[in-house]
């Protein structure tokens, strides 16, 4: 049980904030002596004058200076016996009115330097489910409890940070997902489609909101809940279709363009608008003539790209994020019962053999068929080292494709790398793997990406299979019809928040020919990577 001791709180002005004087409750024989020496001393509010900060790995935490807790630890108390409860109240400005008080959250306390302590809100050390908003002001009520065993806890330190400012620097953290205060929004939404094509989402969505904040568009099911899909034993929620800000206390209007290649997923019945707290505040029924019917799929396959072994590491430089991510993806696809996994390029940092060996070992462990095309990072190795007869590619990639051990290979190009594959029992679809042959990272806009012979071969394959569904794998994406970079639709950035622009240069002969082929053969579904977007 928790015993709440009498609250004695004093505050004073420091660093433009009101700071708490933590008070102690008696819980040990020498508590009175500790209390006498510690009570009334506040010290600094935290690192850099802020109570909240982002650590070097992006973790968002409270880092207060609590000399009283230090005194308890120096007196023999165990840091692991303490827990902290925090209640954040959002203010409408410095020393402003209270806007919203959030649910109390609990966290463990970790000792940092001297009398500083780290309490993780969101990050590598744990998550409370709450994240403050950068640049805003909060009252932060803090209660520290000590566990005496047998479910017996007593509050031993307590106080409130008044009008604490949250530094803007935390907004760059990968863990930054601010908790919004619930507000009753008056929102309306309408949808104008560009065509009558079944399944096409292309068009414009118009949102009017009385009140400011970040709003999102999501697909909804027949009950008006965010759309989910069951794959194997997992149920996944579709990511947002768009995210946008409406500014000004009086609210305003927003027009969201839904790009031409965007599809309405099977099962979607409504378009939803959610407010900053992720509450559905408006919805509309999608026209029946735009909906795709739910049918049992003829087959399924997985898509991955830009795995990049030896590229992204943790702070210790010992954990390669790609290893776990790729293993997890293959496990997911295996559970989903896919026929194959298609990979759209970039498996290394600089074309080093180790990365392709790791790819091969992961695929072998999964037991899945994985077909792949080469991307620009393969070309940091010399061409013959990568794509030569005894190169890394033929040694580690597309296992069974080049040596005839896999049924379904319809054609292999003269370069010995590009190929066409058909799932043996599926005669209406083929997969074409076209690997990038050139890349100059210093001047990518001045070069071609493939050989003319590759495009001649590609055209032959497209003509031969013009009456089938063709899935094309090629790494680098095209610009849009206006020769601008394609940003895509929805929540595209990876968990690390990293992406970049680098489309196929539109001034080269090979780009023009490639675009011409895709225009001519409208049965082609092209999967690319390169942008590091989650969906391409």
């Amino acid at each position: 049980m928790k015993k709440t001791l009498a609250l004695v709180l004093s505050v004073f002005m420091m660093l433009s904030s009101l700071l708490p004087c933590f008070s102690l409750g008696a819980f040990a024989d020498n508590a009175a002596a500790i209390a006498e020496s510690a009570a009334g001393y506040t010290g600094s509010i935290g690192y850099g004058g802020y109570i909240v900060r982002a650590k070097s790995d992006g973790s968002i935490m409270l880092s207060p200076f609590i000399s009283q807790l230090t005194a308890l630890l120096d007196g023999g108390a165990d840091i692991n016996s303490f827990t902290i409860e925090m209640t954040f109240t959002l203010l409408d400005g410095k020393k402003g009115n209270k806007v919203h008080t959030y649910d109390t959250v609990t966290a463990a306390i970790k000792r940092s330097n001297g009398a500083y302590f780290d309490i993780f809100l969101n990050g590598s050390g744990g998550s409370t489910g709450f994240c403050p908003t950068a640049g805003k002001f909060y009252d932060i009520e803090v209660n520290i409890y000590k566990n005496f065993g047998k479910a017996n806890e007593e509050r031993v330190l307590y106080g409130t940070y008044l009008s604490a400012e949250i530094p803007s620097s935390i907004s760059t953290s990968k863990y930054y997902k601010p908790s919004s205060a619930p507000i009753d929004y008056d929102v309306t939404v309408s949808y104008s489609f560009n065509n009558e094509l079944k399944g096409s989402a292309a068009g414009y969505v118009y949102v009017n909101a009385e009140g400011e904040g970040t709003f999102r568009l999501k697909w909804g099911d027949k009950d008006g809940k965010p759309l989910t899909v069951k794959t194997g034993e997992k149920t996944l929620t579709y990511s947002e279709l768009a995210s946008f800000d409406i500014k000004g206390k009086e609210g305003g209007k927003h027009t969201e363009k839904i790009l031409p290649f965007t599809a309405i997923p099977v099962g979607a019945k409504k378009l939803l608008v959610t407010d900053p707290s992720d509450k559905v505040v408006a919805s509309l029924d999608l026209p029946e003539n735009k909906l795709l019917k739910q049918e049992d799929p003829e087959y399924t396959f997985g898509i991955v790209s830009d795995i990049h072994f030896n590229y992204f590491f943790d702070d210790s430089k010992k954990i390669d994020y790609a290893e776990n991510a790729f293993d997890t993806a293959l496990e997911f696809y295996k559970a989903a019962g896919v026929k194959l996994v298609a990979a759209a390029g970039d498996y290394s940092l600089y074309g080093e053999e180790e990365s392709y060996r790791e790819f091969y070992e992961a695929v072998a462990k999964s037991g899945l068929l994985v077909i792949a095309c080469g991307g620009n990072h393969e070309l940091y190795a010399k061409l013959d080292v990568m794509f030569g007869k005894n190169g890394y590619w033929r040694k580690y990639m597309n296992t069974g494709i080049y040596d005839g051990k896999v049924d379904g290979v319809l054609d292999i190009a003269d370069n010995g790398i590009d190929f066409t594959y058909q799932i043996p029992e599926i005669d209406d679809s083929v997969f074409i793997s076209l690997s990038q042959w050139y890349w100059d990272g210093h001047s990518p806009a001045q070069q071609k990406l493939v050989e003319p012979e590759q495009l001649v071969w590609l055209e032959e394959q497209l003509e031969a299979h013009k009456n089938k569904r063709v899935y094309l794998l090629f790494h680098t994406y095209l610009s849009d019809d206006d020769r601008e970079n394609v940003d895509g639709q929805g929540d595209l950035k990876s968990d690390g928040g990293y992406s970049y622009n680098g489309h196929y240069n539109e001034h080269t002969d090979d780009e023009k020919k490639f675009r011409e082929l895709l225009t001519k053969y409208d049965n082609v579904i092209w999967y690319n990577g390169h942008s590091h977007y989650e969906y391409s």
Side-chain angles (χ1 to χ4, degrees), residues 69-113:
L69 184 54
T70 303
L72 298 180
L73 297 177
D74 291 345
D78 180 6
I79 185 66
N80 295 317
S81 68
F82 293 93
T83 57
I84 186 169
E85 287 186 350
M86 298 163 287
T87 305
F88 285 73
T89 298
L90 177 65
L91 309 177
D92 62 5
K94 187 175 181 179
K95 294 186 288 186
N97 297 320
K98 294 181 179 181
V99 175
H100 178 70
T101 298
Y102 296 85
D103 292 340
T104 298
V105 295
T106 303
I109 305 172
K110 299 180 183 298
R111 194 165 187 176
S112 184
N113 297 320

Side-chain angles (χ1 to χ4, degrees), residues 185-221:
Y185 289 97
D186 185 5
V187 178
T188 60
V189 58
S190 59
Y191 200 155
S192 175
F193 291 96
N194 283 354
N195 56 59
E196 296 183 0
L197 182 65
K198 188 181 292 290
S200 173
Y204 293 87
V205 175
Y206 305 95
V207 177
N208 292 335
E210 293 184 4
E212 65 180 347
T214 299
F215 297 85
R216 293 175 176 82
L217 300 179
K218 297 183 178 183
W219 299 118
D221 61 18

Side-chain angles (χ1 to χ4, degrees), residues 308-328:
H308 282 302
F309 289 101
N310 292 309
Y311 198 158
F312 300 106
F313 290 85
D314 70 342
D315 286 347
S316 71
K317 303 299 182 184
K318 295 180 179 179
I319 298 177
D320 184 348
Y321 288 134
E323 294 178 10
N324 180 65
F326 191 42
D327 283 345
T328 300

